[in-house]
Amino acid sequence: MTDQQPDSTHFGFKTVKQTEKVSLVANVFHSVAAKYDLMNDVMSMGIHRLWKRFTIDCSGVRPGHQVLDLAGGTGDITALFSKRVGPTGKVILADINESMLNVGRDKLRDLGLVNNIDYVQANAEALPFADNSFDIISIGFGLRNVTDKDAALRSMYRVLKPGGRLLVLEFSKPEYEWLSKVYDLYSFKLLPTIGGLVANDKESYQYLAESIRMHPDQDTLKQMMETAGFEHVSYHNLTGGIVALHKGYKF
């Protein structure tokens, strides 16, 4: 990563003012919301569904739990949690982006998932929930888009119940050099082209590829979670480290 001024941050490979990043990221997700699910299937060849199911399996979720699916977007993880917490539990799908939230709400209602899901537009850096509110918090493919990741992790820690766990599913650093080279070729050559053809939006997918490269690697994110207060932090590499699932507890 390059050096930054105190009031600047990264938007992909560009350096921008911190106050500008939220609106720039918002524009990206307003643009991709309608084709987001389709692009996820195309980009990952459907493997993203396995990553999300693995996250649920590692969550320890039980009937009656209160769950926050942060940066929940179009609701894939929320849907899986909803089925696990049952009628006595609750899942809140929270996202900073109204367009993504609307797509997620429509999709989940079409699936008949209505009784134990609420929707909240929220910034991860300042969550509008009481202390010690949730048994589980998940954030899937959203942390890299947050301007102040440390503030977001502290906010998640605050609203998590003692004994609760945080799950961070995010693109990360491939474990093997050959895989990194293949992944770079795919990300910077094929991905924007696919975004242009499928979603008519090459620029947004160029940003998404760049944002993945600027996200902290596995060990750095582990340290950030520990600094925020989480204990017994561990991570599990998926698909050779292209994606990693970090898990931490609040005691």
Side-chain angles (χ1 to χ4, degrees):
M1 295 185 184
T2 57
D3 293 335
Q4 291 178 219
Q5 297 300 315
D7 63 344
S8 66
T9 188
H10 292 290
F11 176 72
F13 290 161
K14 299 175 183 176
T15 299
V16 299
K17 292 181 179 179
Q18 289 186 358
T19 53
E20 295 175 345
K21 181 169 179 175
V22 171
S23 62
L24 290 170
V25 171
N27 289 338
V28 168
F29 284 94
H30 285 313
S31 177
V32 304
K35 295 289 183 69
Y36 190 76
D37 284 340
L38 174 60
M39 279 297 296
N40 276 348
D41 283 331
V42 171
M43 289 187 301
S44 73
M45 294 174 287
I47 297 174
H48 74 99
R49 300 181 184 276
L50 300 179
W51 297 332
K52 292 168 182 175
R53 288 188 179 278
F54 181 78
T55 300
I56 303 299
D57 290 342
C58 291
S59 70
V61 64
R62 298 193 302 273
H65 269 172
Q66 304 294 305
V67 178
L68 174 62
D69 181 19
L70 192 54
T74 58
D76 284 350
I77 292 175
T78 292
L80 295 171
F81 272 129
S82 172
K83 295 170 184 176
R84 299 282 187 100
V85 303
T88 61
K90 177 72 70 175
V91 185
I92 293 180
L93 194 168
D95 202 292
I96 195 172
N97 189 276
E98 184 180 10
S99 295
M100 295 290 284
L101 204 59
N102 288 338
V103 171
R105 182 189 293 112
D106 290 345
K107 183 172 80 175
L108 295 181
R109 287 177 176 173
D110 287 345
L111 292 172
L113 300 173
V114 295
N115 292 326
N116 62 358
I117 300 174
D118 287 337
Y119 302 87
V120 176
Q121 188 171 359
N123 186 333
E125 297 172 27
L127 293 170
F129 307 109
D131 295 357
N132 309 319
S133 294
F134 298 100
D135 298 288
I136 298 166
I137 299 175
S138 67
I139 178 166
F141 305 110
L143 187 60
R144 73 180 188 280
N145 298 309
V146 174
T147 302
D148 189 338
K149 297 174 180 60
D150 293 312
L153 289 169
R154 291 193 299 270
S155 187
M156 292 178 224
Y157 184 86
R158 179 185 64 79
V159 303
L160 194 64
K161 292 179 181 179
R165 69 184 77 184
L166 168 67
L167 299 131
V168 181
L169 181 67
E170 188 55 89
F171 292 106
S172 201
K173 184 178 180 180
E175 297 177 271
Y176 312 106
E177 184 64 27
W178 68 266
L179 184 56
S180 290
K181 292 179 180 178
V182 172
Y183 189 43
D184 281 345
L185 179 65
Y186 170 77
S187 298
F188 294 109
K189 299 296 183 183
L190 291 179
L191 179 56
T193 300
I194 294 170
L197 292 172
V198 176
N200 195 30
D201 191 349
K202 182 175 182 179
E203 291 76 15
S204 290
Y205 285 92
Q206 179 72 32
Y207 158 73
L208 292 174
E210 293 176 2
S211 71
I212 291 168
R213 298 310 185 278
M214 301 308 295
H215 185 67
D217 64 17
Q218 288 91 325
D219 288 323
T220 302
L221 180 54
K222 179 176 182 288
Q223 293 170 5
M224 291 169 66
M225 290 174 65
E226 291 169 343
T227 298
F230 291 97
E231 299 181 54
H232 296 310
V233 179
S234 61
Y235 63 82
H236 189 100
N237 284 321
L238 303 170
T239 317
I242 288 175
V243 166
L245 175 65
H246 283 68
K247 181 168 62 176
Y249 295 84
K250 175 179 177 178
F251 294 124

